[in-house]
Amino acid sequence: MAMKNLWFTPAFEDAFPKGLFLLGEVEPMLEFNSDRNAPKRQRQDLDAEGNGTGKRLWKATVTDPAAPNARQASFDLVFVADVMPVPSTPELAPGMRPIVLEGLQVKPKIAGQGEFKSIGWNIRATGFAGDNSGSKQSPADPGAARPSGKAA
């Protein structure tokens, strides 16, 4: 089926009419390795066939005040960015700040087990509104800073 890896791009206000709150900090999303002594590697946005952006994945826990119940109020959010996104809003309480996402994408998934299955969502974004840390900027051309070899 062609829609196997289809992400939808709703407007932030449509998906989260009361906004979102970041709980804690954004952290690198690490690959699982059964060898505890192996070096930790950050996951990249690539599927089993090697398709994707290749950008680094970051994770954060957020809460949605418009959620219908407590179980659905908090969830993990994935950021797809070369540099860790940094929220630009001040904290309301220690470890809690309001956020607005940019580059929001959602994809439906089956959640639950047995007879208690329901539709859930994979949610990801490219960054925070107002972030000027560099996460939304494309990497600089590595050859741009090299001298051309010609004397000026």
Side-chain angles (χ1 to χ4, degrees), residues 85-96:
V86 178
S88 60
T89 54
E91 288 185 330
L92 297 177
M96 184 175 185

Side-chain angles (χ1 to χ4, degrees), residues 33-102:
N33 192 331
S34 59
D35 180 6
R36 285 189 243 177
N37 297 324
K40 306 284 188 234
R41 291 184 46 181
Q42 189 169 357
R43 288 182 57 190
Q44 292 181 310
D45 181 33
L46 297 171
D47 63 12
E49 290 89 33
N51 299 322
T53 64
K55 293 186 177 194
R56 294 178 179 175
L57 297 180
W58 309 86
K59 66 179 179 177
T61 301
V62 298
T63 189
D64 179 4
N69 59 47
R71 192 179 68 185
Q72 296 173 341
S74 293
F75 56 91
D76 285 335
L77 173 69
V78 175
F79 290 97
V80 181
D82 288 319
V83 179
M84 183 176 73
V86 178
S88 60
T89 54
E91 288 185 330
L92 297 177
M96 184 175 185
R97 63 180 74 219
I99 57 169
V100 175
L101 301 174
E102 289 187 343

